[in-house]
Amino acid sequence: MSLLKLEKINSYYGHIHAIKGVSIEVNEGEIVTLIGSNGAGKSTVLRTISGMIHPRAGRVLFEGKDISKKEPHEIVNSGMIHVPEGRGIFPTLTVKENLEMGAYTVKDSSVIAERMENGFSLFPRLKERIDQYGGTLSGGEQQMLAIARGLMMDPHLLMLDEPSMGLAPILVELIFDIIKKLNDRGTTILLVEQNALMALSIAHRGYVLQTGEITISDSAANLKDNEELQKAYLGMS
């Protein structure tokens, strides 16, 4: 069943035509990855989906409803969470306070506490640092916090933008293990990732974006075996 569907989306920054007729689909229970070089428009696609940019043409459908003109807070309340590139945590708030901010629309304190414990089960390190300020955490810990904060809304769809950026290899593997575990628990994920090989290793399907246009779409396994992609994005020759 299609959870998210983009139909010929065109998005602009001023006069710059950043996204050109992009159509993608994410089915319930999948990990779908969007790969491409820097400046290809990957983050712009996520920003368009989450309402930070409104498309000038085309439609964004979430759970069958057109959300193309909705504001970001409305989209969050509908069950979609966007964890942006750069993490965007609150550096002067503690880990606990950051997580509470992630559930700002939830009124039931018992639900907040339960979701926080679920986050700690995925990221035990955060529980150890529950009273530590976000800005004093390591890069890997901040990424864990950003994801855990997103999960506080119990999203139907979790969109992750470059979760491995700037992390040591051992932490990259940890973050991807967590993403896979989240999916195994039933969370649908749209993943934008510069590390194409890692992304394709956990995804079900993938799309390749080049200068604002989708050039290839296929299963993750087929994309990994694609010789052209191996040379361009996977570091193989």
Side-chain angles (χ1 to χ4, degrees), residues 37-192:
S37 59
N38 285 332
K42 304 184 300 296
S43 294
T44 305
V45 170
L46 295 195
R47 289 167 62 85
T48 302
I49 296 168
S50 62
M52 299 171 75
I53 301 171
H54 290 155
R56 292 193 193 174
R59 297 196 303 167
V60 179
L61 302 174
F62 182 57
E63 296 183 324
K65 298 176 182 177
D66 189 345
I67 62 168
S68 308
K69 303 302 180 186
K70 289 188 177 296
E71 296 304 316
H73 70 276
E74 296 176 298
I75 293 173
V76 167
N77 289 334
S78 73
M80 183 193 302
I81 290 294
H82 177 186
V83 179
E85 179 183 349
R87 297 149 197 160
I89 64 159
F90 299 103
T92 59
L93 299 183
T94 65
V95 166
K96 182 181 180 182
E97 290 166 340
N98 266 274
L99 294 175
E100 289 171 340
M101 287 295 290
Y104 72 98
T105 63
V106 180
K107 305 304 180 186
D108 190 329
S109 59
S110 65
V111 171
I112 294 173
E114 180 182 356
R115 291 180 183 175
M116 198 175 293
E117 284 303 319
N118 286 338
F120 291 149
S121 71
L122 288 167
F123 303 108
R125 200 176 302 184
L126 293 181
K127 190 166 189 176
E128 297 170 5
R129 288 155 174 71
I130 190 168
D131 294 319
Q132 193 168 324
Y133 290 112
T136 67
L137 300 176
S138 70
E141 290 164 350
Q142 289 186 14
Q143 187 61 66
M144 295 174 195
L145 180 56
I147 295 173
R149 185 182 60 187
L151 294 174
M152 291 295 292
M153 286 298 288
D154 192 25
H156 303 165
L157 175 66
L158 180 65
M159 300 194 299
L160 301 172
D161 193 352
E162 302 285 7
S164 77
M165 180 176 286
L167 301 186
I170 191 168
L171 288 176
V172 172
E173 290 187 13
L174 174 62
I175 291 296
F176 275 87
D177 284 344
I178 294 296
I179 294 170
K180 182 68 168 61
K181 188 178 291 185
L182 283 171
N183 182 247
D184 290 341
R185 292 183 178 186
T187 304
T188 304
I189 295 169
L190 177 57
L191 172 65
V192 160

